[in-house]
Amino acid sequence: MTTSVFIDGEAGTTGLQIRERLERRDDIRLIQLPDDRRKDAGARRAAFGEADVGILCLPDGPAREAVTLAEGTRLIDASTAHRVAPGWVYGMPELPGQRDLIANADRVANVGCYATASIAIIRPLVDCGILPSDHPATLTGVSGYSGGGKSLIAEYEAGEGPDYYLYALGQSHKHLPEIMEHGGLTRPPLFQPSVGAFHQGMVVQLHLHADQLPGGVSGYARIEAALRDFYAGDPFVSVELPGDRLDPQALNGTNRMVLTVQGDGEARVTIAAILDNLGKGASGTAIQNLNMMIGTEETSGLT
């Protein structure tokens, strides 16, 4: 059986990645518009009407507008617009019970890149009682410049971007609402993202004083065990021993995410997640969600 898919915004960074993955599959028929009609509302409405599933790769405002053009078509939204919105299923398959919800959903809000890593670390620890929901958590991370969209990519490709910089210094990063809601937090974490002078790849870290956690947590064996239990059998997420260095580009081109636990062996612990911000953090998970929605193998077309 062939599924018809329309990518609204296929010329953008995420849209291109999704298109490249889907056009290699013989079970997918891509519905595409010529360049001069990609912003034509009538043409887009017709494309949605022809599609079994539409994938929105647009800024938040245009993504909300696109929903009105796609009545009757199942949607995956890769923007931030609907990640905590009523009526939308959160598209992070690793969360408990989420695969069944995604498979039966008409509206799926694809998880964000920083949120993928942050929730992947936090949620298992909250669920098993290691991390209280109101704990004053601290998250840091670095991503390749591709996460900043066309203007930032152009800046770096012109050789004008700095080697490294911090941003969202006012603790207002757009992924914080979904990190809190789907990570199970009631207290906003301190979250400091940054950008490095490389195209794609990401590392996010949660920093903890383990001896301040409930249950007398000592060292990090219990934390590592909780992560391994949570992701046992998952096709794309694994818990591995850290090396001397964590390379944010180590998983580029894949849909994999690796979690590591390191520290001083006693009280100070850092849990890290490594992933491709354009793969597992965007297009890869969108395809993973699409696979579940159309009833095909979850890993189809993904590595």
Side-chain angles (χ1 to χ4, degrees):
M1 178 177 169
T2 301
T3 300
S4 297
V5 175
F6 173 52
I7 305 169
D8 195 10
E10 71 166 24
T13 307
T14 301
L16 285 170
Q17 294 267 330
I18 293 173
R19 187 186 75 188
E20 288 172 3
R21 286 164 167 80
L22 292 182
E23 62 189 3
R24 298 192 292 261
R25 291 173 53 171
D26 57 14
D27 64 330
I28 299 293
R29 181 176 72 91
L30 288 176
I31 299 166
Q32 297 177 284
L33 297 176
D35 291 348
D36 61 351
R37 303 196 69 193
R38 282 181 181 162
K39 295 185 179 180
D40 182 292
R44 291 164 63 210
R45 188 188 301 275
F48 279 121
E50 189 181 344
D52 298 304
V53 181
I55 303 178
L56 310 182
C57 299
L58 303 164
D60 287 5
R64 293 187 183 96
E65 294 170 5
V67 174
T68 66
L69 302 176
E71 233 176 289
T73 303
R74 301 177 80 190
L75 292 178
I76 298 170
D77 183 8
S79 80
T80 316
H82 299 104
R83 290 177 186 160
V84 294
W88 287 75
V89 170
Y90 193 58
M92 186 168 177
E94 293 77 18
L95 298 181
Q98 212 68 9
R99 284 180 165 89
D100 286 341
L101 292 175
I102 292 167
N104 294 295
D106 288 327
R107 297 286 185 266
V108 173
N110 209 56
V111 57
C113 55
Y114 270 114
T116 298
S118 301
I119 296 168
I121 296 169
I122 291 167
R123 181 63 177 270
L125 305 186
V126 171
D127 280 5
C128 75
I130 290 177
L131 187 71
S133 61
D134 62 350
H135 188 80
T138 299
L139 291 161
T140 60
V142 61
S143 172
Y145 58 79
S146 59
K150 286 185 176 180
S151 61
L152 190 62
I153 292 171
E155 181 182 341
Y156 272 92
E157 289 183 347
E160 298 170 355
D163 289 342
Y164 179 88
Y165 71 90
L166 305 178
Y167 73 103
L169 300 174
Q171 294 298 317
S172 58
H173 193 278
K174 65 180 183 178
H175 290 177
L176 276 172
E178 61 184 294
I179 290 172
M180 288 188 64
E181 177 159 330
H182 302 289
L185 297 178
T186 58
R187 179 175 185 168
L190 290 170
F191 178 41
Q192 185 53 69
S194 62
V195 171
F198 53 93
H199 184 261
Q200 67 195 85
M202 171 178 281
V203 172
V204 174
Q205 297 172 296
L206 172 68
H207 309 278
L208 298 170
H209 286 278
D211 58 350
Q212 295 181 2
L213 300 174
V217 176
S218 177
Y220 47 75
R222 185 179 164 209
I223 291 173
E224 187 172 288
L227 294 173
R228 290 189 187 279
D229 287 347
F230 194 90
Y231 296 108
D234 191 277
F236 295 112
V237 183
S238 59
V239 181
E240 300 180 8
L241 295 174
D244 294 333
R245 299 179 178 181
L246 297 183
D247 178 3
Q249 301 179 81
L251 298 176
N252 282 1
T254 78
N255 195 52
R256 294 181 57 222
M257 176 163 52
V258 167
L259 307 181
T260 70
V261 185
Q262 56 271 322
D264 62 5
E266 296 178 3
R268 291 172 296 176
V269 179
T270 293
I271 306 108
I274 307 165
L275 67 157
D276 181 350
N277 63 297
L278 296 184
K280 184 61 182 160
S283 60
T285 294
I287 292 172
Q288 199 176 344
N289 290 328
L290 172 66
N291 288 341
M292 287 180 280
M293 292 171 74
I294 66 176
T296 192
E297 184 69 31
E298 182 179 340
T299 57
S300 182
L302 297 169
T303 57

